[in-house]
Amino acid sequence: TQDDALAIARKLKAAIDRKGKAHDLALIWHEGKLIASYGIRRASREKGHGHISGALFVGPHDCRRLADCSMSQADWLKVLKEKGKI
């Protein structure tokens, strides 16, 4: 949901781009480089955001863990390093 998408953005310290687009855009930077981004729907707080897990290079389970606080930013960065994304 929108709340989950925003919770993940806060946890990953994403910059939110709201420049008049249909969706807000969460931009996640690490060491000066953009490493991930995803759209956050504005229209409905209850619509799913199933695209986020792919944008963050994790499966749905780990994406849920990011939203509910059982996965930290450091844990997520470790996964990305293991996958060779950063």
Side-chain angles (χ1 to χ4, degrees):
T1 65
Q2 185 185 59
D3 290 338
D4 293 333
L6 291 170
I8 291 169
R10 280 189 301 275
K11 177 179 282 184
L12 299 181
K13 299 179 176 87
I16 305 295
D17 180 357
R18 295 186 165 99
K19 295 182 182 160
K21 299 175 182 98
H23 306 296
D24 292 339
L25 189 62
L27 304 167
I28 304 158
W29 298 83
H30 179 68
E31 296 180 353
K33 294 183 182 179
L34 181 65
I35 59 170
S37 66
Y38 62 89
I40 301 172
R41 294 183 177 121
R42 292 186 205 158
S44 171
R45 297 184 69 84
E46 297 306 315
K47 286 199 177 199
H49 285 70
H51 60 285
I52 295 175
S53 62
L56 296 179
F57 310 108
V58 296
H61 176 73
D62 282 339
C63 192
R64 167 78 358 235
R65 290 180 58 220
L66 279 167
D68 71 14
C69 296
S70 60
M71 178 182 254
S72 69
Q73 179 188 35
D75 295 335
W76 177 71
L77 289 171
K78 182 179 175 187
V79 169
L80 265 59
K81 287 176 184 173
E82 289 171 355
K83 291 183 175 187
K85 300 296 182 185
I86 55 173

